[in-house]
Amino acid sequence: MKSTYERMDGSYQQVGDYLLPDMEAPESPKIGSWGERRRKYLQTNKRVLYTVMLLCDTLNAHLEEVDKSTTEMFDRLVEQLKRRNCITEELKAANQLEWVQRMNTIRHEAAEAVEKELICV
C-alpha cells in the first residue's frame, strides 16, 4: 500500500534502517533589517495588506525588493551627507571620535529619511 506522500509522486531513499523522504527545503528569502522593518510595519499598521500578500505568496518578494531598494537609498544618502558635511578620511585620521560622532548622526538622519520614504508607506 502506497503512502499519501508516494501517491503525490513523492519518493523515499533508504538510509540505514530508515526510509527518508526525498525532499528539499524551499530557498529562504533574502530579507535584511530593512525588509524586517517593513514586515513589522505591515503587521502592525496594514494588517489587511499584510494578510493578502501573505496568502498570495507575494510577501517575501515584496520584502526582498523593499530591502534592496532601501539599502541602495540608504547608502546613497550616507554618501551624499558625508560630502555635504565634509566628512573625509583626513578627519577620520585626525580626530576619530569626532568622525564617529558625525557619521552616527549622518547614519541616523539617513535611516529616518529612508524609513519615512520607503518603509512606512
Side-chain angles (χ1 to χ4, degrees):
M1 182 165 118
K2 287 188 171 184
S3 68
T4 304
Y5 179 67
E6 290 174 314
R7 280 184 259 138
M8 295 175 18
D9 294 326
S11 62
Y12 293 94
Q13 71 180 38
Q14 181 91 28
V15 178
D17 293 336
Y18 301 101
L19 286 175
L20 300 177
D22 290 329
M23 299 174 68
E24 292 184 20
E27 187 175 324
S28 61
K30 295 164 182 61
I31 301 171
S33 62
W34 295 110
E36 289 300 326
R37 287 183 189 189
R38 175 69 175 164
R39 178 194 315 267
K40 185 169 179 87
Y41 173 78
L42 290 174
Q43 281 178 325
T44 56
N45 299 311
K46 307 275 187 175
R47 291 182 187 154
V48 173
L49 177 61
Y50 175 79
T51 304
V52 168
M53 292 176 82
L54 188 62
L55 293 174
C56 293
D57 198 29
T58 59
L59 180 64
N60 286 334
H62 170 73
L63 295 176
E64 286 177 359
E65 178 60 34
V66 166
D67 189 69
K68 180 182 172 199
S69 60
T70 305
T71 300
E72 290 170 1
M73 183 178 176
F74 177 77
D75 293 341
R76 196 171 46 250
L77 277 173
V78 167
E79 289 304 314
Q80 289 172 357
L81 290 169
K82 276 173 58 175
R83 282 193 304 274
R84 185 181 305 153
N85 293 318
C86 301
I87 298 176
T88 61
E89 291 298 315
E90 289 80 27
L91 175 63
K92 184 177 180 180
N95 190 345
Q96 290 181 356
L97 289 177
E98 182 182 351
W99 181 85
V100 168
Q101 180 182 14
R102 291 172 73 180
M103 283 300 296
N104 284 342
T105 302
I106 283 175
R107 290 179 63 81
H108 182 71
E109 288 175 21
E112 279 184 8
V114 164
E115 183 125 6
K116 183 178 171 185
E117 291 290 322
L118 297 176
I119 302 297
C120 300
V121 289

